[in-house]
Amino acid sequence: MTLHITPLNLPGIGNERPLIIAGPCSAESEEQVMNTAAQLAAKGVRILRAGIWKPRTKPGGFEGVGAAGLPWLKRVKDELGMLTATEVATPKHVEAALEAGVDILWIGARTMANPFAVQELADSLKGKDVPVLVKNPVNPDLELWIGGLERLNGAGITRLAVIHRGFSSYDKRIYRNPPMWHLPIELHRRIPELPILCDPSHIGGARELIAPLCQQAMDLGFNGLIVESHCSPDCALSDARQQVTPDVLNFILDKLVIRDVSHSTDSLENLRRQIDEIDNGIIELLNKRMRISREIGQYKREHAMTIVQAKRYSEILDKRGAQGVLCGMSSDFVRNIYEAIHEESVRQQVEVMNKN
């Protein structure tokens, strides 16, 4: 299916990069929304994002104030002249948000993982002329992401853009949701007219990672950023660690280097970014390997075994060296790597064995 994409045509906002959308993870109170929005507007931000309905992983957490918060967004529009954006997950959300005059809707990652839910939203949007931002599904499935866009497009929604917010992972990693940049790059290759925004807050999961992620998104040619900003981040009722104050956000945006987007994805910089992503993955895999080494150390301690098992060590060196040759690498290179890995594994096991 060929997608029909038209410009977002946001009132009063041009086509300059980057398009900035910012605001609190959740609308918590009228005072918090207005305070944050006023600070952001003073810094030049034209679009406020705020979660009205918040899907949470487990029950019992703050799930948003619900429709009671929609008048707060209307007040932001009326008094500050900002556009507003919020997440919708059900047809009732769509109806309530549009009735309250919300300018931009977005569909969250959890919803995007469910084609039935996306189709219900698409059906509820038929005949509506509203920009819809589509987050990637939680799992790294490009076809599922594109399928959601097709469902919305089939309902007549053409003012579409996507939000790259990273992908869920079971293992502990540097990022809350590893970015897997190659997936949005491939999406852009397939649908070059589709605007792509980056959500560094959900990718990083920590405010100190937001600035480098914003820059990386700009270097990759993304069209904009959607960043979580709160007047008092440490007091936030949801995702406190990944929110920044409007002042900090302004500092981050002021330091951004915006480069020409005409460069090829095969350029030196993009190749280097691919290497960076692979290197991050190597570190994460080594961390996982060392965790297992510590578990092995615990087993050896409980069963009075020696740490170094010479036969096993020789098998690893011979097997990985042969694999390296088959992959075009020298056996000495791979051997040196695994000697260093083995040395660190032994060190980790010694720590476990000597634990009191």
Side-chain angles (χ1 to χ4, degrees), residues 174 272-284:
I174 298 170
R272 284 172 174 167
R273 287 186 203 98
Q274 290 180 48
I275 286 177
D276 286 342
E277 185 172 347
I278 292 169
D279 285 345
N280 286 338
I282 290 172
I283 294 296
E284 290 161 0

Side-chain angles (χ1 to χ4, degrees), residues 3-15:
L3 290 174
H4 177 49
I5 307 295
T6 58
L8 293 177
N9 286 332
L10 301 174
I13 296 176
N15 296 317

Side-chain angles (χ1 to χ4, degrees), residues 98-112:
L98 293 181
E99 186 176 336
V102 174
D103 301 283
I104 302 167
L105 308 179
W106 82 78
I107 301 176
R110 291 180 176 89
T111 306
M112 279 301 299

Side-chain angles (χ1 to χ4, degrees), residues 274-317:
Q274 290 180 48
I275 286 177
D276 286 342
E277 185 172 347
I278 292 169
D279 285 345
N280 286 338
I282 290 172
I283 294 296
E284 290 161 0
L285 286 172
L286 285 173
N287 176 55
K288 187 175 182 179
R289 193 185 196 280
M290 294 306 158
R291 188 187 72 222
I292 295 172
S293 291
R294 292 191 293 273
E295 292 177 3
I296 290 173
Q298 182 63 34
Y299 181 90
K300 290 176 179 177
R301 176 182 178 177
E302 293 171 357
H303 293 81
M305 297 172 64
T306 60
I307 291 176
V308 177
Q309 305 286 312
K311 182 179 178 182
R312 167 67 176 164
Y313 181 38
S314 295
E315 286 176 355
I316 289 174
L317 293 180

Side-chain angles (χ1 to χ4, degrees), residues 133-341:
L133 312 180
V134 182
K135 286 198 172 185
N136 58 263
V138 289
N139 48 315
D141 188 337
L142 184 58
E143 300 306 323
L144 187 60
W145 199 358
I146 294 174
L149 292 166
E150 291 176 343
R151 292 177 187 277
L152 292 162
N153 213 209
I157 301 298
T158 61
R159 297 165 68 190
L160 288 168
V162 295
I163 300 173
H164 173 49
R165 49 81 75 196
F167 300 90
S168 295
S169 172
Y170 176 76
D171 294 322
K172 183 179 180 181
R173 295 174 179 261
I174 298 170
Y175 303 113
R176 176 183 178 184
N177 296 293
M180 302 185 190
W181 297 107
H182 63 284
L183 288 172
I185 288 172
E186 173 61 14
L187 180 64
H188 176 67
R189 187 191 69 79
R190 294 199 203 178
I191 316 171
E193 68 276 19
L194 180 68
I196 302 181
L197 310 181
C198 178
D199 179 349
S201 305
H202 279 89
I203 291 176
R207 58 180 65 107
E208 59 269 21
L209 295 175
I210 290 176
L213 285 166
C214 286
Q215 186 61 62
Q216 193 162 3
M218 290 299 98
D219 291 346
L220 287 168
F222 281 31
N223 301 87
L225 303 165
I226 178 167
V227 187
E228 292 189 347
S229 181
H230 191 294
C231 55
S232 301
D234 291 333
C235 300
L237 299 180
S238 58
D239 288 345
R241 288 190 65 244
Q242 67 189 42
Q243 300 192 65
V244 295
T245 65
D247 282 339
V248 170
L249 176 62
N250 186 60
F251 178 81
I252 291 171
L253 298 178
D254 189 55
K255 296 297 181 182
L256 279 181
V257 177
I258 310 299
R259 297 182 173 90
D260 187 0
V261 299
S262 62
H263 63 271
S264 165
T265 55
D266 292 328
S267 68
L268 180 60
E269 287 302 313
N270 276 312
L271 291 172
R272 284 172 174 167
R273 287 186 203 98
Q274 290 180 48
I275 286 177
D276 286 342
E277 185 172 347
I278 292 169
D279 285 345
N280 286 338
I282 290 172
I283 294 296
E284 290 161 0
L285 286 172
L286 285 173
N287 176 55
K288 187 175 182 179
R289 193 185 196 280
M290 294 306 158
R291 188 187 72 222
I292 295 172
S293 291
R294 292 191 293 273
E295 292 177 3
I296 290 173
Q298 182 63 34
Y299 181 90
K300 290 176 179 177
R301 176 182 178 177
E302 293 171 357
H303 293 81
M305 297 172 64
T306 60
I307 291 176
V308 177
Q309 305 286 312
K311 182 179 178 182
R312 167 67 176 164
Y313 181 38
S314 295
E315 286 176 355
I316 289 174
L317 293 180
D318 292 342
K319 185 176 182 180
R320 301 311 172 203
Q323 282 183 307
V325 171
L326 289 173
C327 293
M329 295 175 281
S330 74
S331 60
D332 286 343
F333 168 70
V334 176
R335 187 181 185 90
N336 289 337
I337 289 175
Y338 273 88
E339 284 176 350
I341 290 174

Side-chain angles (χ1 to χ4, degrees), residues 73-89:
L73 299 189
K74 187 175 186 306
R75 188 179 164 198
V76 168
K77 286 185 62 174
D78 294 342
E79 297 183 19
L80 300 173
M82 299 177 79
L83 301 183
T84 57
T86 198
E87 177 178 350
V88 291

